[in-house]
Amino acid sequence: MTGTAISENADSTADSATCRGGLAGCGVSGPAQPDRNAPIGVFDSGVGGLTVVREIIRQLPNEEIIYFGDTARVPYGNKSQETVTRFSEQIVRFLRTFRVKTIVVACNTASAYAMEALERDIDVPIIGVVKPGAKAAAETTRNGRIGVIATEATIGSQIYAKYIQELNRDVTIYGKACPLFVPLVEEGLLEDPVTDEIARRYLAELIDIDIDTLILGCTHYPLIRSTLGRIMGEGVTLVNPAYETTRELHGMLAGLNLLRRESPGLGSNRYQFYVSDKAEKFVRFANSIIKYGILSAKTINIEDY
Ligand code: DGL
């Protein structure tokens, strides 16, 4: 990332915990205090949420993760709110079968469209990627001009603008849908002249209006952040919601006394991956971005949940 500031370089302590879903005041009310040794459930529309898994592995190395990628129904970014909400509710029901202690909605589109519905009837804490990204951007900007790049759905929902303006009314937010980035990343064209050219076209108008902060509002975009940083130039700070969400998650679990204290023993199935289609392809992609040695992913029928 040539010369461009990245939000994860920020040297500050974990954000105060946010707590949702029937856990009033972050003291757990509801059926039972979750077990601190239970896994964290993470989901996305496909492979992109692995950028969040990667952050959790880095920042919370003791934790176990159950990941679900909806590879049969991806992309979510061009679907309706109703559909994305229905898919997200099914996935949450699936993750709950593992008695997860918390759920991370790693997908920006699902966070934009389904958070309210998910929060309504769940009794474990749930966190999406949009609020932490919005908060970091609101704190980062100096000139009050923030750009958001994301799927059509996330940009159309104006959810980043809503949360940023709740924190700072004097900020102007410029959204730009960049639908070609997802297939480019999934084709492995992370450093490629084609990606460069498309990024230049997408970002030109954000450069023209002199933003100083750019939210990478889609799971895949952190994987091309060197390209994005190079094109935006030195004066623009890139905010990575995957990183910010994991910091928030850390603070939330600490506040609830739910951080796992020791690493799971040898031989434990620390990271488990489930998908709705094409498990082998998922594993190949996962191993290209997470240096952990992911051996397998299991295909399940998400329509059963
Ligand atoms: N995971 C989605 C997001 O972060 C991008 C891929 C999709 O459209 O499903 O918005």
Side-chain angles (χ1 to χ4, degrees):
M1 55 205 109
T2 342
T4 302
I6 301 286
S7 71
E8 57 249 55
N9 292 338
D11 176 22
S12 53
T13 52
D15 297 323
S16 58
T18 48
C19 184
R20 305 179 185 93
L23 297 164
C26 289
V28 179
S29 68
Q33 166 78 19
D35 174 3
R36 80 162 64 86
N37 291 328
I40 296 172
V42 181
F43 79 88
D44 178 51
S45 55
V47 294
L50 292 167
T51 55
V52 177
V53 169
R54 187 171 68 168
E55 287 298 337
I56 298 175
I57 293 173
R58 276 186 196 145
Q59 295 184 42
L60 298 168
N62 288 344
E63 301 296 337
E64 291 188 341
I65 298 171
I66 308 285
Y67 180 89
F68 178 78
D70 202 355
T71 47
R73 305 188 294 193
V74 70
Y76 283 10
N78 58 10
K79 294 195 170 63
S80 69
Q81 177 159 20
E82 198 186 13
T83 300
V84 171
T85 302
R86 184 171 65 80
F87 290 174
S88 302
E89 286 171 340
Q90 286 177 324
I91 297 167
V92 165
R93 283 195 285 275
F94 168 69
L95 290 173
R96 296 300 304 276
T97 64
F98 295 88
R99 309 186 70 77
V100 292
K101 64 183 171 187
T102 183
I103 289 179
V104 180
V105 184
C107 179
N108 284 261
T109 304
S111 299
Y113 272 171
M115 272 319 276
E116 259 176 46
L118 296 179
E119 286 169 352
R120 215 172 294 133
D121 36 37
I122 191 168
D123 57 3
V124 294
I126 182 162
I127 183 170
V129 285
V130 170
K131 265 192 185 169
K135 181 164 178 264
E139 287 166 358
T140 299
T141 185
R142 295 287 162 260
N143 73 0
R145 292 163 174 270
I146 297 175
V148 184
I149 52 174
T151 62
E152 281 167 25
T154 303
I155 295 300
S157 75
Q158 303 214 5
I159 190 87
Y160 273 105
K162 174 175 174 271
Y163 288 140
I164 292 168
Q165 276 169 343
E166 275 173 17
L167 297 167
N168 185 348
R169 284 188 166 277
D170 297 328
V171 168
T172 311
I173 296 103
Y174 303 90
K176 175 76 188 165
C178 302
L180 291 173
F181 284 162
V182 167
L184 287 168
V185 168
E186 296 202 1
E187 285 302 317
L189 301 173
L190 304 185
E191 288 284 346
D192 191 276
V194 175
T195 307
D196 234 74
E197 173 57 24
I198 289 169
R200 276 181 207 289
R201 291 199 198 186
Y202 278 148
L203 300 178
E205 62 194 77
L206 297 177
I207 294 171
D208 283 351
I209 49 184
D210 193 30
I211 59 162
D212 72 350
T213 304
L214 179 65
I215 301 176
L216 310 185
C218 170
T219 46
H220 292 58
Y221 301 176
L223 297 172
I224 51 167
R225 66 185 189 183
S226 334
T227 301
L228 302 175
R230 190 168 3 90
I231 292 169
M232 291 311 296
E234 285 195 1
V236 177
T237 300
L238 305 185
V239 171
N240 176 1
Y243 171 82
E244 304 299 338
T245 301
T246 308
R247 284 181 63 218
E248 189 97 6
L249 174 69
H250 189 165
M252 181 182 81
L253 292 178
L256 290 167
N257 202 15
L258 282 178
L259 276 178
R260 194 179 171 115
R261 293 187 180 148
E262 286 162 11
S263 132
L266 275 179
S268 70
N269 208 356
R270 183 186 293 212
Y271 306 125
Q272 293 181 49
F273 298 90
Y274 294 84
V275 292
S276 44
D277 201 5
K278 296 237 177 190
E280 279 171 26
K281 190 172 175 206
F282 174 90
V283 169
R284 272 200 303 281
F285 190 90
N287 281 316
S288 74
I289 67 160
I290 297 178
K291 303 297 167 212
Y292 183 78
I294 294 156
L295 299 177
S296 64
K298 203 169 166 198
T299 305
I300 58 130
N301 184 359
I302 195 64
E303 297 285 0
D304 289 345
Y305 291 86

